[in-house]
Amino acid sequence: RPEARVKHKARGPRPESGTFFLTRPRASCLGPCVTIRFMGRRALVSRFCDGFILTGGRSSRMGQDKALLEVDGKPLIQIIAANVKQALGEVTLVGSKAKYARLGMPVIEDIHPGLGPLAGVHAALRHSRKPLVLVVGCDMPFLSAQFLEHLAQVAAVADAEVTVAESADYGLESLCAVYNQSTLPHIEAALEHGELKVAMLYDKVRVRKLSTDECRGFNPQGILFSNVNTPQDLELARRRFESRAN
C-alpha cells in the first residue's frame, strides 16, 4: 500500500512560562480527546470537577455530630471545606439544610435519605452538571488541597469511571474519590436493590487506584487519611493541629 504521509504543522508560539498543555488522544473520562491546561502548578480542574463533602450519618461512635466539632478553633467540616474549595474553587455539602446552611456553604440533601454514603455520592452526581465529582467525608481534616487537586487531575485523564485513593491502613478510601457521571446508572440500580456498600460499585466499573506509593509525596507524616470517628480521634487531631501551629 502507498506510504503513509504525515502532515507537520508549524509550531505556534510557546506558552507563557509555567503554562503547558496535556492532551490525551485515547479514551478518557472526559471523552475521546481531552486537553487540560495547567497554569503554573495548578490545573483548572474546576472546569470539569465539582467538590462535595458528605456531612456524615449518625456519628454513633462520637456521640454527637462530628462535622460540627471544633478542631483548631473551627468546625471540622469547615477545615475540610476550605481545602476542597482551594482545590476546586467551590464546595457543596451533602446533608441537612436545617443543620448546615448556617455555615454559609451550599447544601444539598440526599434524594434517598438514610441509605448511607452511596446515597450521598448519588446526590452529588445528580446535582452536578460537570463530568466528575470529588466526594470526601466530613471527618478527614488532614486531606490537603494539593492532594485533592492532584486526585482530580489524575481522574480527568484516567481511563476509568472512579478514581480512588488507597491508604496503607484503610485500603480504598471510597470517601476520598472522584466519580464519573457514567457511574450514576450503576449507583441508582444499587440503591434500588439495597446494595449500599460503595465498595460493591467498584466491581461493576473501571477503577483507577491512586496507590499508597503515589500518595506518599502528599503524606510525609502518614496522617493524610486519618479520620475522626471517636473522642480519642478528636483529641489526637486537636493535638496534631496544635503541634503544626507551634
Side-chain angles (χ1 to χ4, degrees), residues 19 34 41 75 80 82 108-109 113 146 159 168 170 180 198 217 225 238:
T19 304
V34 59
R41 296 179 63 186
I80 303 162
I108 63 170
E109 297 188 335
Q146 292 76 17
D159 187 13
Y170 309 106
N180 193 292
V198 180
F225 302 107
R238 285 171 172 168

Side-chain angles (χ1 to χ4, degrees), residues 57-179:
R58 292 168 294 179
S59 301
S60 55
R61 284 186 283 172
M62 184 64 73
Q64 54 185 310
D65 186 353
K66 58 187 175 182
L68 298 177
L69 293 175
E70 288 200 357
V71 174
D72 197 31
K74 56 182 79 70
L76 187 63
I77 198 168
Q78 285 193 336
I79 296 173
I80 303 162
N83 288 332
V84 174
K85 187 171 183 178
Q86 183 180 339
L88 297 178
E90 297 293 338
V91 61
T92 299
L93 308 184
V94 182
S96 167
K97 291 182 178 180
K99 289 178 66 175
Y100 301 109
R102 63 184 176 87
L103 296 176
M105 291 175 275
V107 183
I108 63 170
E109 297 188 335
D110 287 341
I111 299 168
H112 302 285
L115 297 186
L118 189 64
V121 176
H122 172 261
L125 287 164
R126 285 288 299 272
H127 178 79
S128 177
R129 296 189 177 186
K130 296 179 183 177
L132 302 174
V133 298
L134 168 71
V135 178
V136 299
C138 70
D139 57 358
M140 304 174 77
F142 300 102
L143 289 174
S144 67
Q146 292 76 17
F147 175 73
L148 296 174
E149 183 181 359
H150 177 68
L151 182 63
Q153 290 176 7
V154 171
V157 294
D159 187 13
E161 293 164 283
V162 176
T163 301
V164 57
E166 182 180 43
S167 69
D169 295 327
Y170 309 106
L172 296 183
E173 297 282 354
S174 58
L175 294 188
C176 182
V178 177
Y179 295 85

Side-chain angles (χ1 to χ4, degrees), residues 44 86 213 241:
L44 299 180
Q86 183 180 339
D213 286 340
F241 271 93

Side-chain angles (χ1 to χ4, degrees), residues 20-26 28 32-38 156-157:
F20 64 94
F21 296 85
L22 172 64
T23 301
R24 180 176 182 172
R26 55 178 291 193
S28 79
C33 184
V34 59
T35 301
I36 302 173
R37 185 185 185 195
F38 290 81
V157 294

